[in-house]
Every structure is written in C-alpha cells, then in structure tokens.
C-alpha cells in the first residue's frame, strides 16, 4: 500500500507550528498591551532616545528655574504688600505706588517668570520632538527589516496604531506631563527648602 503524502502546496503539521499549537487555524499573534503609569525608567528611555545630553540638561535647568521664578513672584508680592503697612501692622496712609521699588520688583519678577515659562516650553518642544523623531525612525527601520511572515501575521491596523497613536502620545502628552510634573515638583522642593531654612520645626510637623 502506498501512503498518502501531503501535496507540495498544502502546509503540513511542521509548516504551520502556530496552527498545530493552538488548534484554531490562525496564525495571527495576540497583541500584548502594557497598562500602568509612566515611571522613571520610561523617562530615562526617552532621554536615551533623544541622543542630546546638552539639550536635556538645558531642559532640566529651565524646568528648575521656572518654579524658582514663581516663588520670586510671590515673595515680591508679599514685600509690596508689607511696604504698605506701618510698624504696627496697619495700613499706612501712603499709596501703593509711593515707593515704586516693590512694585517694579514685582512686575520684573512676573516678567522673568513668564520668560522662564516661554524658554522652558520652547526647549521642551524641541527636545521631545527630537525624541519622537528618533524613536519614529528606529521603529520604521525595525519594521522595514521584518520578514514577509511577520507582515502576514501582523494586522496592518496594529502597525498603524503604533505609528499613529503611540507617536501622537509622544508628541503631545509627554511634553505636557513633563511640564506639569516639573513645575509641581519644583514647588514642593522650594517649599521644603525654605521651610527648613526659615522654620526647621515645620519639617518635623
């Protein structure tokens, strides 16, 4: 008796390991999605992708200067209001602009704070745009080097989502999160530092 041999065009058990493995007759792999918050490792990976250490240092310096300028605005405003009080803590009869120095310092600190925000925003745009461009180029290069089997088993929509939604998140959301995070962290650090200098018991409480 002659044994029936599979035809050359029909895939045998060894030619389709995915089918033999899951038994469902599909070769499409499941997409793994990671859920969670953006951590320090993610920011480090973004910084490595930018390949611009000098620009990253400038972004950190600008992010540090912004909350310091914000505290300077509040400090100059308190000095301006204190200048309108007498020695007993009551409102003096003099006007708010009788001594122009506190008002000038307040307006100057406000302008400096606005300039710091402008510089920080511009640097963040350039920095994260560079990161996004480098990551997009590496992702495109890795995709083009894949085999035809990978393109056959990977849906086109999945690839487009990686190049669309993920890159859009990199372009829009990460800079916004970084600016809000840096400003909030700077406020907390400045409060702790000045509280430790002016009133050390406040740190214990």
């Amino acid at each position: 008796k002659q044994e029936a041999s599979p035809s050359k065009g029909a895939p045998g058990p060894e030619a389709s390991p995915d089918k033999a493995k899951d038994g469902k007759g599909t070769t499409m792999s499941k997409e793994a999605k990671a859920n969670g918050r953006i951590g320090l490792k993610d920011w480090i990976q973004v910084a490595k992708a930018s390949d611009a250490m000098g620009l990253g240092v400038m972004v950190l310096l600008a992010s540090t200067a912004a909350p310091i300028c914000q505290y300077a605005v509040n400090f100059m405003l308190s000095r301006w209001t204190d200048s309108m009080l007498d020695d007993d803590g009551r409102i003096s009869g003099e006007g708010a602009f009788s001594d122009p120095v506190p008002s000038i310092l307040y307006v100057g600190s406000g302008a400096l704070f606005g300039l710091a925000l402008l510089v920080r925003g511009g640097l963040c745009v350039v920095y994260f745009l560079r990161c996004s461009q480098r990551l997009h180029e590496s992702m495109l290069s890795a995709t083009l080097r894949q085999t035809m089997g990978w393109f056959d088993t990977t849906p086109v929509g999945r690839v487009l989502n990686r190049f669309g939604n993920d890159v859009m998140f990199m372009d829009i959301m990460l800079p916004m999160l970084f600016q809000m995070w840096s400003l909030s962290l700077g406020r907390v650090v400045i409060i702790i530092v000045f509280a430790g200098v002016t009133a050390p018991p406040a740190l214990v409480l």
Side-chain angles (χ1 to χ4, degrees):
K1 295 182 180 181
Q2 295 182 352
E3 296 181 358
S5 60
S7 61
K8 296 182 179 179
E14 297 180 356
S16 58
D18 292 336
K19 293 181 180 180
K21 184 177 180 180
D22 53 25
K24 297 180 181 180
T26 179
T27 59
M28 184 182 300
S29 60
K30 293 184 179 180
E31 182 180 10
K33 296 183 179 180
N35 297 323
R37 300 178 180 179
I38 299 177
L40 183 60
K41 293 181 179 180
D42 300 320
W43 292 110
I44 294 176
Q45 185 177 1
V46 170
K48 290 181 179 179
S50 67
D51 195 18
M53 183 178 296
L55 185 60
V57 172
M58 293 175 63
V59 170
L60 291 178
L61 291 177
S63 301
T64 305
I68 294 177
C69 294
Q70 185 181 20
Y71 182 83
V73 172
N74 297 330
F75 180 74
M76 293 304 171
L77 179 60
S78 64
R79 283 196 58 185
W80 189 11
T81 55
D82 291 341
S83 64
M84 292 183 290
L85 301 178
D86 54 14
D87 296 337
D88 297 332
R90 300 178 181 178
I91 300 177
S92 60
E94 300 178 355
F97 298 98
S98 58
D99 186 7
V101 176
S103 59
I104 293 175
L105 291 176
Y106 172 67
V107 174
S109 61
L112 185 61
F113 177 54
L115 180 62
L117 291 179
L118 180 62
V119 172
R120 187 192 65 168
L123 289 175
C124 286
V125 168
V126 175
Y127 181 73
F128 284 100
L129 183 61
R130 182 184 178 91
C131 296
S132 178
Q133 181 180 1
R134 292 298 181 88
L135 290 175
H136 186 275
E137 291 176 355
S138 62
M139 185 167 56
L140 178 60
S141 177
T143 302
L144 294 178
R145 290 198 303 266
Q146 299 299 319
T147 61
M148 289 303 300
W150 183 84
F151 286 100
D152 290 338
T153 58
T154 304
V156 178
R158 185 183 301 176
V159 179
L160 294 178
N161 284 335
R162 299 291 77 77
F163 282 91
N165 295 335
D166 292 355
V167 175
M168 183 181 66
F169 182 84
M170 181 75 185
D171 292 339
I172 299 176
M173 296 303 298
L174 280 186
M176 295 175 58
L177 291 175
F178 177 79
Q179 293 190 40
M180 291 187 294
W181 170 80
S182 61
L183 191 60
S184 301
L185 180 62
R187 291 174 183 173
V188 173
V189 172
I190 290 175
I191 290 173
I192 293 176
V193 170
F194 280 92
V197 173
T198 58
L203 297 178
V204 181
L205 297 178

